[in-house]
């Protein structure tokens, strides 16, 4: 295993679409990639495979959680550009703990020896507030990556994620590679001004800017990566992912972030506005 990424961000920020296109770009750069969806709604890999695939929790439930009865082929499916995909899944809504399922998935990865079979492993993780279970991928990651928009709510969540990465870095090797600015609209959304100031404050950087574009919305609906789409704006949408893939494969500069307190960030962002 050479590179493990744990990608987080506020709910609804576009993590799965961004993660899938980044995985595709990494594969197109020649890497053997495994993307792991760590969200109970299990749609992280939809753009790569075009389907909602069976989850780890589905398969384990069928065999009464006897791990020895599960094979790699039961849970790993291959999508666009040869990217292998796996979905953790989760308990029924309103019951159980999704973080526990992430732990079961990590356990299976070790049992299958998958950590040594890929150039890059991408964890796409539920990340509004990182509990112990959902922070588990940080124990195995080389880099955390945060996806955010140029608005208060996603920056507030990003700051909380910086805190999680800082805490984990005290015991594990993980550091923050940077922030992916998503849905960048220089006319309506002000570009990345707030994100740039936040990144500088916590000691990190913006490593990619993904535009706000209808091609991205349509690709998600169709269950395809941007690289499979046609139409105006394709190069504008795909190039940021190719650039990020090349940057991450070259072992980027990373830091232990310096997050602000919850009250402090309210005051600071108010001043930036």
């Amino acid at each position: 295993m050479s590179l493990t990424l744990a990608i987080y961000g506020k709910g609804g920020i576009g993590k799965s679409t961004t993660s899938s296109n980044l995985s595709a770009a990494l594969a197109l750069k020649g890497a053997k990639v495994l993307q792991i969806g760590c969200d109970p709604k299990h749609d992280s890999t939809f753009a790569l495979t075009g389907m909602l695939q069976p989850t780890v929790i589905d398969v384990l439930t069928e065999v009464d959680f006897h791990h020895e009865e599960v094979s790699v082929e039961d849970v790993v499916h291959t999508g666009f550009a040869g990217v292998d995909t796996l979905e953790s899944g989760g308990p029924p809504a309103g019951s159980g703990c999704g973080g526990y399922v992430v732990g079961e998935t990590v356990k299976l990865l070790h049992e299958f020896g998958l950590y040594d079979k890929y150039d890059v492993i991408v964890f796409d993780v539920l990340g509004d507030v990182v509990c112990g279970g959902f922070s588990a991928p940080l124990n195995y990651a080389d880099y955390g990556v945060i996806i955010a928009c140029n608005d208060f709510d996603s920056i507030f969540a990003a700051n909380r994620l910086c805190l999680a990465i800082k805490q984990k870095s005290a015991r594990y090797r993980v550091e923050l590679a940077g922030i992916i600015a998503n849905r960048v609209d220089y006319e309506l959304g002000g570009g990345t001004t707030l994100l740039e100031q936040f990144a500088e404050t916590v000691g990190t950087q913006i490593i990619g800017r993904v535009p706000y574009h209808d091609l991205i919305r349509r690709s998600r609906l169709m269950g395809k990566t941007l690289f499979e789409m046609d139409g105006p704006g394709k190069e504008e949408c795909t190039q940021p992912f190719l650039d990020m893939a090349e940057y991450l494969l070259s072992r980027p500069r990373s830091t232990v972030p310096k997050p602000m307190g919850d009250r402090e960030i309210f005051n600071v962002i108010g001043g930036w506005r």
Side-chain angles (χ1 to χ4, degrees), residues 18-34:
T18 303
S19 297
S20 293
N21 282 291
L22 181 57
S23 290
L26 288 161
L28 291 171
K29 290 286 183 179
K32 179 62 176 173
V33 182
L34 171 66

Side-chain angles (χ1 to χ4, degrees), residues 87-122:
E87 291 282 358
S88 297
S95 65
C97 173
Y100 165 78
V101 178
V102 174
E104 288 294 298
T105 300
V106 169
K107 182 178 178 181
L108 267 184
L109 292 176
H110 280 294
E111 291 178 0
F112 291 151
L114 293 182
Y115 277 100
D116 300 318
K117 294 183 179 180
Y118 293 93
D119 300 313
V120 184
I121 295 177
V122 176

